[in-house]
């Protein structure tokens, strides 16, 4: 589930675009592009009453790089559980059950040119992230530690960017299962690795002064669902202290029909004397 309405509205083609606090989720290397101090709070209404809450922050410390962190919680709420007879058939409605998961992350990024001499390193950004992941599904609880790594290369200053991102590298989940008889068992299983390669191109003053258009294309490869492609575009207009952004995107690989991959959204923001505040909305249909 993509974090941040801005990214979701543009088809989740965001690993080469994320210049805000949600870079903690999409590509930690992009924290270098997030100016000053930023906060992001996302609420998502998912399928079947599932809700998702996400909070992220980032802090740019110039020559010393940038860092950020995030907290996330996904919950189903409470709903009636089903019973099963010893023979494996349906045994009626049982007690209410629920499922939830949580994440907590810390990330750091640096422009390699601050450490290593050379024009290539001057335009290369590296980010790393550590995440504590946990979940509880009825009577099964599990937790683990995951690591992410991201790269960003500025091909053309403030115009063309290339990115690479690897997620869920390393450790396994360790789970505990408690049966109805009170017997405890341990399960270990791998976390789903994911790789992304993307690019983004920014156009300034395209139709009018102070506007900006960012188009991005991304390849998303996961070990359990194969390779998918995402494309997205964001057009932003500035009027004095106010700005409006229009977004559209498409994600391939849906088994719910062609239209299920379409995404769209809008964002508004206002620049105060000391800070800027914005509100973004994404519409992400999933077909029937």
């Amino acid at each position: 589930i993509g974090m941040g309405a801005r990214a979701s509205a543009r088809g989740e083609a965001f690993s080469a675009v994320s210049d805000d606090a949600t870079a903690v989720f999409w590509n930690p290397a992009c924290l270098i592009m997030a100016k000053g101090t930023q906060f992001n709070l996302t609420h998502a209404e998912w399928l079947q009453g599932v809700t998702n809450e996400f909070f992220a922050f980032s802090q740019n410390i110039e020559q010393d790089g940038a860092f950020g962190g995030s907290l996330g919680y996904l919950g189903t709420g409470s709903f009636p559980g089903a019973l099963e007879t010893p023979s494996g058939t349906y045994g009626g409605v049982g007690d209410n059950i629920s499922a939830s998961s949580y994440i907590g992350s810390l990330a750091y990024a640096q422009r390699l040119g601050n450490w290593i001499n050379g024009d290539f390193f001057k335009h290369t950004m590296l980010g790393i992230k550590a995440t504590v992941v946990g979940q509880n599904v009825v009577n099964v609880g599990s937790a683990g530690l995951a690591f992410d790594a991201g790269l960003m290369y500025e091909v053309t200053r403030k115009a063309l960017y290339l990115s690479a991102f690897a997620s869920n590298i390393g450790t396994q989940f360790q789970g505990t299962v408690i049966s109805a008889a009170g017997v405890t068992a341990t399960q270990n299983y791998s976390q789903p690795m994911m790789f992304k390669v993307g690019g983004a191109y920014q156009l300034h003053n395209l139709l009018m002064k102070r506007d900006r258009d960012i188009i991005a294309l991304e390849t998303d490869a996961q070990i359990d669902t194969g390779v998918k492609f995402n494309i997205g575009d964001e057009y932003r207009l500035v009027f004095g202290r106010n700005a409006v952004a229009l977004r559209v995107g498409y994600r391939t690989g849906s088994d719910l029909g062609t239209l299920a991959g379409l995404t769209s959204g809008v964002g508004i923001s206002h620049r105060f004397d000391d800070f800027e505040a914005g509100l973004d909305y994404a519409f992400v249909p999933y077909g029937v």
Side-chain angles (χ1 to χ4, degrees):
I1 301 176
M3 303 301 171
R6 182 184 171 205
S8 296
R10 42 180 300 132
E12 298 186 357
F14 209 61
S15 66
V17 180
S18 47
D19 55 358
D20 55 35
T22 62
V24 175
F25 178 84
W26 294 103
N27 185 351
C30 293
L31 286 169
I32 294 294
M33 301 170 61
K35 298 179 180 179
T37 305
Q38 298 201 25
F39 298 93
N40 176 277
L41 181 62
T42 301
H43 169 75
E45 292 286 339
W46 207 242
L47 309 176
Q48 294 291 85
V50 174
T51 59
N52 195 25
E53 317 297 337
F54 180 75
F55 168 79
F57 78 91
S58 65
Q59 177 65 59
N60 195 310
I61 44 181
E62 303 300 336
Q63 295 296 316
D64 293 322
F67 67 91
S70 65
L71 295 171
Y73 176 83
L74 181 143
T76 63
S78 181
F79 58 93
L83 299 177
E84 184 179 356
T85 66
S87 62
T89 59
Y90 176 65
V93 177
D95 296 334
N96 285 351
I97 60 175
S98 64
S100 61
S101 67
Y102 61 86
I103 59 171
S105 301
L106 288 175
Y108 175 77
Q110 178 61 282
R111 188 179 291 272
L112 294 184
N114 293 330
W115 290 343
I116 308 172
N117 294 327
D119 189 64
F120 173 81
F121 299 106
K122 181 180 177 181
H123 297 281
T124 303
M125 291 155 271
L126 171 68
I128 56 174
K129 181 178 71 172
T131 302
V132 175
V133 187
Q135 65 181 18
N136 183 34
V137 183
V138 192
N139 64 336
V140 181
S142 58
L145 184 64
F147 297 96
D148 299 352
L151 276 173
M152 179 77 114
Y153 183 71
E154 188 179 27
V155 181
T156 306
R157 179 171 170 77
K158 295 185 177 181
L160 178 61
Y161 296 89
L162 299 178
S163 68
F165 176 63
S167 181
N168 296 329
I169 305 169
T171 62
Q172 292 186 327
F173 268 114
Q174 293 185 346
T176 301
V177 181
I178 303 176
S179 68
V183 179
T184 301
T186 301
Q187 290 181 338
N188 293 322
Y189 51 95
S190 299
Q191 299 184 48
M193 292 185 67
M194 177 173 61
F195 302 93
K196 293 184 178 183
V197 176
Y201 191 75
Q202 298 189 18
L203 296 168
H204 298 269
N205 303 319
L206 180 64
L207 300 178
M208 58 188 300
K209 189 176 181 180
R210 298 181 66 190
D211 72 354
R212 182 186 70 178
D213 187 79
I214 305 177
I215 186 168
L217 178 65
E218 188 170 288
T219 300
D220 185 341
Q222 303 184 35
I223 62 172
D224 55 347
T225 58
V227 177
K228 301 178 182 179
F229 296 92
N230 304 334
I231 187 170
D233 186 71
E234 174 185 79
Y235 181 69
R236 188 174 187 265
L237 285 168
V238 178
F239 305 96
R241 293 193 172 197
N242 302 306
V244 177
L246 303 176
R247 305 178 180 108
V248 66
Y250 189 80
R251 302 169 303 165
T252 67
S254 174
D255 57 358
L256 298 176
T258 303
L259 294 180
L262 284 172
T263 63
S264 60
V266 63
I268 57 174
S269 63
H270 179 79
R271 180 170 52 83
F272 296 89
D273 290 337
D274 299 322
F275 68 96
E276 184 175 354
L279 178 66
D280 298 303
Y281 176 79
F283 179 62
V284 187
Y286 273 81
V288 178

